[in-house]
Amino acid sequence: MPKRISAEKDMQILADVGLGMLNKDVAVKYNVSPSYVSKLSLGKKVPDIHIPKPVEFSIQNINVHKATLDEIQRIIDENQVLASEDEYIKILKDRIKNALIDAKLYIEVLKKFKGE
């Protein structure tokens, strides 16, 4: 009975083929047949790779991946993000100003598309 070739080995084979190695050289390197390498590189054989779907949270109609939240929390924990009240006020004013500029830009673009 032939042995099963792992998905990791398939990916290594594809990487070597992608780097320009000949199928027969790749076959010798990984102890598989040249026809197997050919089928893999032509897409006739697809590696059996399971990629889990990321966990999502819906926060106020914003989809956020759990990994993103974890990374943000890690950055905050490592850097001890603290700011004074004046800094928060300055940041909020800048964001409001940028939001107003964006809104004005969107309105002008919309008028152009409508022909006004």
Side-chain angles (χ1 to χ4, degrees), residues 34-94:
S35 66
Y36 181 83
V37 176
S38 176
K39 287 177 185 174
L40 195 60
S41 65
L42 293 174
K44 293 180 180 177
K45 196 278 183 202
V46 180
D48 184 23
I49 300 173
H50 171 71
I51 302 172
K53 185 178 177 188
V55 179
E56 291 186 8
F57 295 98
S58 182
I59 302 172
Q60 299 173 358
N61 298 326
I62 299 173
N63 288 329
V64 180
H65 293 284
K66 183 179 182 322
T68 304
L69 292 174
D70 293 343
E71 181 65 15
I72 291 169
Q73 187 62 50
R74 185 191 64 76
I75 291 169
I76 290 171
D77 291 343
E78 285 180 3
N79 295 304
Q80 304 242 339
V81 177
L82 299 173
S84 68
E85 189 174 317
D86 292 337
E87 289 172 316
Y88 285 129
I89 291 171
K90 181 184 179 307
I91 291 168
L92 289 173
K93 283 182 179 179
D94 288 344

